[in-house]
Amino acid sequence: MITIVYNLLREDEKFLLDSAKKLGVEVKLLLANKLILDPINFQPSDKLVLNRCLSNSIGEQITYFFENFGIKVINNSQINHLCANKFITSLFLIKNNLPTVPFLVFFDEELIEKVIEYLNGYPVVIKPIYGSWGRLLAKINDRDAFEGIIEHKRYLSSPYHNIYYTTKYIEKPNRDIRITIVGKKIVCAVYRENFHWISNTARGGKIKFCELNKDLTNLCQQLIEKLPLGIYGVDIFEFNNGYLINELNHTCEFKNIQKTTGVSISDEIINFCLENLKND
């Protein structure tokens, strides 16, 4: 049996339930918001938990809780740690000699000139280290805009907004590439096309099929060799006839990709869960 923890039963989760039924897999559903994580009275019965929480912070605590009792969680806390924080993701890519967007973190607006020098001039992009769906990103074209953005971030409630994770702005052909990886398998690739500089489908990006060429496949295989086995959505930029890995996503939505490509990502996820159950 597979236990699916969720906040909202979206089309993605319905695809997973359909795949489980088709593959003859029993599924137990747990609504995250109604859980009480009580280690004293908890009686472990789950064999494997598939974390589909919308909220990373809630999903993270649930993952730690089940892992504390020796229950396997997909994706696990190691993958959550690697992907949830964009700065940690970027450091991982650099450490493993994987091509990525130039980046840095700083904490004081007086360092703006030095930051721009390190990133070889404007434009740059400033992002929250935690976040999804392309929210709270800003493309910055000059010092006045940079100072204004930092002033606004200083007064936001979360202390994480005082961590200024900044990357070089990459000119790309009105699209990026999303690769879906499950275990050691490159499942499929799509373009996310948008005339806005942010390509996320949550910001209006349109999905189109992307053929996996040799260079893209080789890059993904290099990445897979370094990653803990899990389920990933990998965002890639085309750049100077090559590729840069931008972000790794660990609780990614896949419904639009599945409907566009006809590839059953939900089948791949359920089968990956079954493989992990067999290996216990």
Side-chain angles (χ1 to χ4, degrees):
M1 183 177 68
I2 297 171
T3 301
I4 298 179
V5 182
Y6 70 102
N7 293 108
L8 181 67
L9 206 60
R10 302 165 293 175
E11 196 169 359
D12 307 73
E13 285 69 48
K14 291 175 182 177
F15 274 136
L16 289 167
L17 292 175
D18 288 343
S19 290
K21 183 177 180 180
K22 179 177 67 177
L23 295 167
V25 179
E26 185 182 353
V27 170
K28 172 184 171 183
L29 290 174
L30 290 180
L31 182 58
N33 298 28
K34 300 299 183 181
L35 291 178
I36 298 175
L37 304 180
D38 173 12
I40 305 301
N41 295 299
F42 180 66
Q43 296 180 348
S45 61
D46 306 276
K47 299 297 183 184
L48 182 143
V49 173
L50 178 59
N51 180 358
R52 292 295 304 172
C53 287
L54 274 166
S55 165
N56 178 70
S57 55
I58 291 174
E60 185 178 41
Q61 311 319 308
I62 291 170
T63 298
Y64 289 143
F65 182 78
F66 280 108
E67 286 183 344
N68 184 70
F69 291 93
I71 297 168
K72 186 171 288 187
V73 182
I74 297 175
N75 283 318
N76 62 32
S77 55
Q78 180 188 8
I79 295 173
N80 186 89
H81 176 75
L82 170 62
C83 298
N85 183 315
K86 293 179 175 64
F87 185 46
I88 292 174
T89 302
S90 295
L91 290 171
F92 167 84
L93 294 171
I94 286 289
K95 179 180 179 180
N96 289 286
N97 297 312
L98 293 160
T100 190
V101 180
F103 70 96
L104 49 75
V105 160
F106 69 108
F107 310 100
D108 189 328
E109 67 182 275
E110 292 183 4
L111 296 171
I112 283 177
E113 289 299 325
K114 185 64 72 174
V115 165
I116 295 304
E117 178 186 334
Y118 286 171
L119 292 175
N120 294 316
Y122 294 101
V124 297
V125 174
I126 192 166
K127 306 179 183 182
I129 58 171
Y130 294 104
S132 57
W133 298 333
R135 294 173 297 193
L136 296 179
L137 276 64
K139 178 186 173 187
I140 298 171
N141 295 316
D142 56 42
R143 171 150 191 152
D144 289 343
F146 212 161
E147 289 176 344
I149 290 292
I150 287 180
E151 182 178 6
H152 279 81
K153 287 175 75 65
R154 265 206 318 269
Y155 290 98
L156 293 175
S157 57
S158 171
Y160 291 118
H161 287 297
N162 294 318
I163 301 169
Y164 307 131
Y165 170 74
T166 311
T167 73
K168 183 67 179 173
Y169 174 75
I170 302 298
E171 291 283 354
K172 57 187 192 297
N174 295 322
R175 67 189 187 191
D176 68 2
I177 298 170
R178 163 62 66 90
I179 308 285
T180 301
I181 292 172
V182 180
K184 285 188 172 291
K185 184 176 182 179
I186 305 168
V187 177
C188 62
V190 294
Y191 293 116
R192 300 186 299 184
E193 297 184 344
N194 200 340
F195 287 105
H196 192 277
W197 66 275
I198 300 175
S199 301
N200 300 61
T201 55
R203 300 290 293 268
K206 304 300 180 186
I207 290 179
K208 291 189 177 178
F209 176 77
C210 170
E211 186 173 351
L212 281 158
N213 61 37
K214 182 179 177 181
D215 289 342
L216 198 53
T217 300
N218 286 342
L219 176 59
C220 290
Q221 288 173 339
Q222 292 173 42
L223 177 61
I224 288 169
E225 290 304 312
K226 301 297 183 181
L227 286 171
L229 288 182
I231 301 162
Y232 299 90
V234 183
D235 296 340
I236 294 177
F237 292 160
E238 299 159 277
F239 180 69
N240 287 348
N241 297 317
Y243 299 103
L244 298 174
I245 301 172
N246 183 40
E247 291 182 3
L248 304 177
N249 302 276
H250 66 296
T251 52
C252 45
E253 295 173 287
F254 59 84
K255 59 182 180 294
N256 292 325
I257 299 173
Q258 182 157 319
K259 289 189 288 188
T260 298
T261 63
V263 175
S264 183
I265 297 170
S266 55
D267 279 7
E268 296 291 344
I269 292 173
I270 296 297
N271 279 320
F272 179 67
C273 291
L274 291 175
E275 289 171 14
N276 277 269
L277 279 171
K278 290 176 185 175
N279 292 333
D280 276 351

